[in-house]
């Protein structure tokens, strides 16, 4: 039986890999727990490098999970969005490394995780292991049971796809915080002109209700339609709504509480000082780890 205390030194690191692979806090925690069970059963004498051994286990568990999850996500009701990661969980990644903090932060944003959904499971794994966690191709090849040449090709293909769809300029945390506050104030006050000015012409609003609560089942496209949709929601909001600004996935967001319970998390992608994408996570299953108001 391998040392549980030694496993705990890598727990945050394994979660960091799993969350980026799966886009789900709950599923990532499940994968880390499964990795722990396998770690317990492994004879210590067979493990040369605990970190490499555990990274291989978590990668393969996530790959198996993603391959089965792709079928489920194809039948998912409405847009599928990643599960928001609160600031406390993001800050725990300090245990990962003091180097490459900017890369780690960018790789956890909701917008980036949405882009990763367009990759195959193996492309996603190989890209993250190489570009975010800085593994060499020989190590990656062993982890995913591919040749080094195949892994290089997978990284190249994934990088090309992501570079094509990633914006060249995104907002700083300070700009995001200011625009998020202005956005929510405009919605709350019903200020059509102000809201219109904050939105990009081709803005998209994404609502993830998962068929469990009422939410738009298709993305809403364009400044005029999104403005009407948001102001309509604001007018229909019950009087017991309490918004709170919090950090999610390394960027500012808003938790909307109803009767003291989290009802939705809203995170904005800001490009060239305008709101390009609005991500609204309403599916209650994805809000379980967010504490109630006042907790």
């Amino acid at each position: 039986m391998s040392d549980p205390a030694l496993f705990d030194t890598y727990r945050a690191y394994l979660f960091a890999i799993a969350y980026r692979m799966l886009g789900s806090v709950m599923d990532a925690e499940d994968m880390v727990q499964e990795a722990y069970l396998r770690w317990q059963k492994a004879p210590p004498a067979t493990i040369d490098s605990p970190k490499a051994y555990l990274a291989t286990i978590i990668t393969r568990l996530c790959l198996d999970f993603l391959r089965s999850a792709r079928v489920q996500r194809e039948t998912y009701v409405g847009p599928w969005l990643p599960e928001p990661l609160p600031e406390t969980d993001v800050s725990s990644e300090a245990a990962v490394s003091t180097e490459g903090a900017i890369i780690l932060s960018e790789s956890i944003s909701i917008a980036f995780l949405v882009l990763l959904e367009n990759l195959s499971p193996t492309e996603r794994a190989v890209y993250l292991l190489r570009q975010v966690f800085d593994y060499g191709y020989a190590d990656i090849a062993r982890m995913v049971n591919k040749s080094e040449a195949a892994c290089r090709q997978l990284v190249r293909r994934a990088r090309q796809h992501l570079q094509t769809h990633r914006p060249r300029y995104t907002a700083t945390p300070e700009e995001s915080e200011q625009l998020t506050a202005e956005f929510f104030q405009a919605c709350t006050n019903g200020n059509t002109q102000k809201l219109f000015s904050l939105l990009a012409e081709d803005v998209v609003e994404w609502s993830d209700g998962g068929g469990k609560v009422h939410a738009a089942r298709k993305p809403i496209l364009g400044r005029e339609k999104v403005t009407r949709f948001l102001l309509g929601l604001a007018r229909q909001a019950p009087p017991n709504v309490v918004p709170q600004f919090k950090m999610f996935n390394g960027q500012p967001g808003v938790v909307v509480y109803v009767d003291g319970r989290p009802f939705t998390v809203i995170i904005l992608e800001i490009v060239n000082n305008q709101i390009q994408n609005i991500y609204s996570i309403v599916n209650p299953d994805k809000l379980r780890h967010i504490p109630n108001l006042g907790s």
Side-chain angles (χ1 to χ4, degrees):
M1 176 175 160
S2 297
D3 184 6
L6 182 57
F7 180 90
D8 285 338
T9 64
Y10 295 107
R11 187 177 291 275
Y13 182 78
L14 299 177
F15 178 85
I17 295 174
Y19 178 73
R20 286 165 176 80
M21 283 281 291
L22 306 178
S24 166
V25 175
M26 187 166 54
D27 293 333
E29 289 173 344
D30 287 346
M31 294 302 104
V32 172
Q33 183 60 27
E34 179 61 30
Y36 174 69
L37 295 176
R38 299 193 181 195
W39 166 262
Q40 280 190 311
K41 296 176 182 177
T46 64
I47 301 173
D48 293 329
S49 167
K51 182 178 179 180
Y53 177 83
L54 289 169
T56 299
I57 288 178
I58 202 75
T59 297
R60 291 177 180 176
L61 286 171
C62 289
L63 277 172
D64 290 342
F65 184 92
L66 274 180
R67 288 169 183 140
S68 63
R70 285 179 78 86
V71 177
Q72 297 174 12
R73 291 179 188 178
E74 286 173 2
T75 59
Y76 193 82
V77 178
W80 185 95
L81 294 176
E83 190 174 344
L85 185 66
E87 182 179 35
T88 52
D89 293 320
V90 174
S91 60
S92 72
E93 290 196 1
V96 172
S97 173
T98 55
E99 300 177 359
I102 294 176
I103 294 175
L104 282 172
S105 177
E106 289 179 348
S107 71
I108 209 169
S109 73
I110 290 289
F112 183 72
L113 293 175
V114 168
L115 280 181
L116 290 179
E117 285 296 305
N118 296 310
L119 304 180
S120 71
T122 307
E123 283 176 335
R124 185 168 183 160
V126 171
Y127 178 85
L128 288 171
L129 290 170
R130 177 60 183 167
Q131 298 298 119
V132 176
F133 296 98
D134 201 30
Y135 280 94
Y137 283 107
D139 292 328
I140 296 171
R142 285 191 293 270
M143 289 179 181
V144 300
N145 291 319
K146 298 279 185 182
S147 68
E148 288 188 47
C151 289
R152 290 178 187 276
Q153 186 175 7
L154 287 166
V155 169
R156 189 180 310 114
R157 194 163 60 205
R159 189 188 295 125
Q160 288 173 347
H161 178 84
L162 294 175
Q163 287 177 346
T164 300
H165 294 88
R166 288 182 83 177
R168 293 186 178 181
Y169 171 77
T170 55
T172 64
E174 294 75 20
E175 291 169 338
S176 293
E177 187 173 355
Q178 180 180 345
L179 278 171
T180 299
E182 291 179 5
F183 165 81
F184 208 84
Q185 186 176 34
C187 289
T188 303
N189 297 337
N191 190 334
T192 304
Q193 185 175 359
K194 177 62 175 179
L195 183 58
F196 205 77
S197 70
L198 294 173
L199 302 178
E201 186 176 351
D202 55 348
V203 63
V204 183
E205 197 282 338
W206 309 80
S207 297
D208 180 348
K212 308 242 173 128
V213 294
H214 181 68
R217 296 194 174 189
K218 292 183 179 180
I220 299 171
L221 314 176
R223 184 186 286 157
E224 292 185 7
K225 290 182 179 179
V226 170
T227 298
R228 287 198 301 270
F229 174 75
L230 293 171
L231 294 181
L233 288 179
R235 284 192 295 269
Q236 297 170 16
N240 51 350
V241 166
V242 178
Q244 281 203 347
F245 292 90
K246 295 182 181 292
M247 294 293 290
F248 290 95
N249 296 72
Q251 61 192 112
V254 177
V255 186
V256 178
Y257 292 92
V258 176
D259 293 328
R261 295 185 178 90
F263 175 75
T264 183
V265 169
I266 300 171
I267 299 173
L268 309 178
E269 181 188 16
I270 297 166
V271 180
N272 296 327
N273 293 315
Q274 286 192 303
I275 299 167
Q276 186 64 59
N277 286 289
I278 303 168
Y279 301 110
S280 301
I281 298 97
V282 195
N283 186 338
D285 291 345
K286 298 186 178 183
L287 305 177
R288 291 179 188 172
H289 57 288
I290 298 174
N292 290 338
L293 191 61
S295 297

